[in-house]
């Protein structure tokens, strides 16, 4: 029997431009089957959460342009569950908005905020970690996050420093650290009490709303002023008029870095944020030439370490190419060094400048 006080905010508003040309502004990566599993990323995340959260308590938070995509891919959700942003304002405004809606519906709610595009293999361990956090948040004023034990000095993630003396599963957070340079990241790993910030948060609705009220009074005042309209036919009008006035600020900066009641659980599951073609390559099975292949039928000669994706069953012949991203999508063919994958966002801007917005 699932707990009716358990809720989720599934974050599905990002563009995922580093996965271009598959991920575009009109059809971003969370709505694609990036792993070739038969499920899109948002479907996979929804089903993972539904293992322990009532399906009707999973809210999908997305930009209004993706409303139709959400209903196409999650046909059983209702309009009540889809929370639309009329403007892009980072994560704090939309989380506050959704939290107030949930609070009005159930003042005893505890919730998880989960990105829609993460890869998690051991879903049972994920469920156990989150439910441990929920049980703590039910009886404590706590803002909680799941941290990932780092396996190498990654400079692309923020880090969470926790109390080294703690032997408890739930640890007090000392501070959040911005994305470091390589030497700093190495020192974090050497110290042994640093985790990657995965952007997964748990708290009671009471605690998170109180944290916004204390740490972001202007933002809180803006959204609280529409409280009477939430979950009624007047909500849409209020949000369209007021949401664009919200400050563009992340929940990490708005709450987590400013609060003194922040805790972390070191995750017991494997995790990848699937932020780039290279991160996808790392998680896929490889063929005999060490190529990761999605959908394609590949003939490779003197070609290894490539990430290859095309439409279903397309034959791709590769000769003499190593460590490249090869992606065929409609009118666009991308052949790009994996080592330069962070530059794909710049390439996308050049493509749109030269050939038009339709290609991005």
């Amino acid at each position: 029997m699932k707990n009716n006080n358990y809720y989720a905010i599934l974050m599905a508003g990002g563009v995922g431009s580093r996965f271009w040309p598959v991920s575009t502004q009109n059809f971003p990566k969370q709505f694609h089957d990036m792993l070739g599993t038969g499920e899109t990323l948002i479907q996979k995340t929804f089903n993972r959460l539904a293992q322990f959260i009532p399906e009707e308590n999973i809210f999908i938070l997305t930009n209004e342009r993706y409303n139709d995509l959400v209903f196409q891919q999650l046909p059983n959700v209702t309009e009540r569950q889809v929370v639309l942003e009329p403007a892009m304002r980072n994560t704090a405004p939309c989380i506050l908005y959704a939290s107030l809606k949930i609070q009005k519906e159930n003042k005893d709610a505890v919730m998880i905020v989960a990105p829609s595009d993460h890869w998690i293999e051991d879903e049972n361990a994920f469920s156990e970690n989150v439910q441990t956090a929920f049980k703590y948040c039910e009886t404590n004023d706590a803002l909680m996050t799941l941290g990932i034990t780092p396996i190498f000095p990654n400079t692309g993630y923020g880090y969470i420093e926790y109390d080294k003396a703690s032997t408890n599963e739930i640890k007090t957070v000392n501070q959040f650290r911005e994305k470091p340079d390589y030497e700093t990241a190495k020192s974090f790993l050497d110290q042994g009490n640093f985790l990657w910030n995965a952007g997964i948060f748990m708290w009671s609705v009471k605690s998170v709303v109180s944290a916004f009220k204390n740490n972001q009074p202007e933002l809180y005042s803006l959204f609280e002023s529409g409280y009477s309209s939430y979950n009624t036919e007047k909500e849409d009008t209020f949000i369209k008029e007021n949401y664009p006035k919200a400050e563009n600020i992340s929940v990490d900066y708005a709450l987590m870095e400013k609060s003194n009641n922040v805790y972390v659980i070191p995750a017991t599951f494997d995790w990848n944020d699937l932020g780039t073609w290279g991160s996808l390559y790392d998680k896929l099975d490889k063929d005999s030439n060490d190529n990761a292949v999605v959908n394609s039928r590949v003939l490779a000669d003197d070609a290894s370490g490539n990430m290859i994706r095309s439409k279903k069953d397309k034959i791709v012949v590769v000769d003499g190419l190593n460590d490249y991203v090869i992606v065929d999508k409609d009118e666009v063919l991308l052949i790009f060094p994996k080592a330069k994958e962070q530059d794909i966002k710049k390439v996308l801007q050049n493509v749109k400048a030269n050939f038009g917005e339709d290609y991005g």
Side-chain angles (χ1 to χ4, degrees):
M1 192 74 177
K2 296 174 186 174
N3 190 323
N4 287 328
N5 289 336
Y6 286 4
Y7 282 74
I9 299 175
L10 199 164
M11 306 287 282
V15 176
S17 54
R18 288 189 180 90
F19 270 115
W20 182 81
V22 169
S23 181
T24 63
Q25 200 155 20
N26 290 327
F27 206 120
K29 67 174 178 176
Q30 59 268 29
F31 300 107
H32 288 278
D33 177 9
M34 299 301 299
L35 293 155
T37 62
E39 284 185 308
T40 65
L41 293 177
I42 192 172
Q43 289 170 334
K44 203 163 182 60
T45 305
F46 186 93
N47 292 335
R48 184 188 307 129
L49 294 168
Q51 291 177 25
F52 60 98
I53 294 172
E55 285 194 18
E56 64 272 18
N57 288 357
I58 302 174
F59 286 71
I60 296 90
L61 215 158
T62 192
N63 191 278
E64 60 184 11
R65 73 168 71 184
Y66 307 137
N67 186 53
D68 291 345
L69 282 172
V70 170
F71 285 110
Q72 286 168 21
Q73 298 203 358
L74 301 171
N76 292 329
V77 304
T78 63
E79 286 189 16
R80 163 187 156 274
Q81 292 169 258
V82 182
V83 182
L84 299 176
E85 309 164 80
M88 298 185 83
R89 288 293 182 272
N90 216 316
T91 53
C94 57
I95 288 172
L96 173 57
Y97 169 33
S99 298
L100 288 167
K101 280 175 62 66
I102 291 170
Q103 182 188 50
K104 191 174 181 184
E105 179 176 298
N106 183 350
K107 63 181 175 56
D108 297 319
V110 291
M111 71 180 81
I112 177 173
V113 176
S116 60
D117 53 3
H118 287 181
W119 178 93
I120 292 170
E121 187 166 324
D122 189 344
E123 297 189 340
N124 289 331
F126 169 79
S127 172
E128 289 171 6
N129 285 171
V130 174
Q131 290 182 82
T132 296
F134 276 2
K135 287 181 174 66
Y136 188 83
C137 292
E138 281 175 330
T139 55
N140 294 276
D141 180 20
L143 305 178
M144 195 165 290
T145 184
L146 295 179
I148 310 300
T149 301
I151 53 177
F152 66 98
N154 194 316
T155 59
Y157 298 142
Y159 284 71
I160 302 165
E161 180 185 355
Y162 64 84
D163 179 9
K164 203 169 189 176
S166 173
T167 57
N168 299 324
E169 181 181 11
I170 296 170
K171 302 180 186 301
T172 303
V173 171
N174 290 344
Q175 61 178 326
F176 285 77
R177 302 290 288 267
E178 298 297 326
K179 295 175 183 177
D181 59 32
Y182 183 74
E183 290 303 319
T184 305
K186 277 174 61 178
S187 75
F188 288 171
L189 266 66
D190 291 340
Q191 290 174 65
N193 61 323
F194 284 80
L195 302 167
W196 287 337
N197 181 2
I200 303 171
F201 307 106
M202 292 79 49
W203 40 53
S204 69
V205 69
K206 181 179 178 182
S207 288
V208 71
V209 169
S210 174
F212 271 112
K213 185 176 182 179
N214 293 333
N215 292 303
Q216 300 296 329
E218 286 186 25
L219 195 66
Y220 172 79
S221 178
L222 174 65
F223 282 95
E224 201 276 334
S225 68
Y227 195 77
S228 62
S229 73
Y230 294 155
N231 308 336
T232 75
E233 68 278 0
K234 297 178 181 177
E235 178 181 333
D236 189 52
T237 300
F238 172 82
I239 288 299
K240 278 191 163 68
E241 288 178 1
N242 290 279
Y243 198 96
K245 300 174 186 175
E247 182 183 357
N248 190 327
I249 184 172
S250 73
V251 74
D252 299 72
Y253 186 74
L255 294 190
M256 305 304 280
E257 295 182 15
K258 297 181 184 302
S259 302
N260 57 12
N261 58 334
V262 181
Y263 301 87
V264 64
I265 295 176
T268 59
F269 52 86
D270 288 336
W271 169 91
N272 192 300
D273 72 341
L274 293 183
T276 63
W277 286 113
S279 64
L280 181 61
Y281 172 87
D282 290 340
K283 287 304 170 190
L284 290 170
D285 292 334
K286 314 297 188 294
D287 66 13
S288 58
N289 293 298
D290 213 27
N291 297 308
V293 179
V294 177
N295 297 335
S296 317
R297 291 185 287 168
V298 173
L299 287 174
D301 188 17
D302 187 26
S304 66
N306 297 301
M307 173 69 238
I308 303 169
R309 192 186 197 277
S310 70
K311 69 179 182 181
K312 191 72 174 170
D313 292 330
K314 186 163 189 174
I315 295 171
V316 179
V317 181
V318 189
D319 191 334
L321 207 58
N322 300 292
D323 299 317
Y324 267 70
V325 175
I326 304 164
V327 181
D328 183 42
K329 172 75 169 24
D330 300 330
E331 298 91 355
V332 179
L333 172 63
L334 176 74
I335 304 171
F336 205 77
K338 264 195 333 206
K340 294 176 64 179
E341 65 176 3
Q342 296 295 337
D343 294 337
I344 287 178
K345 287 179 82 168
K346 295 179 192 170
V347 172
L348 171 57
Q349 297 308 315
N350 287 336
V351 168
K352 289 199 286 190
N354 285 278
F355 302 110
E357 291 289 326
D358 290 347
Y359 294 97

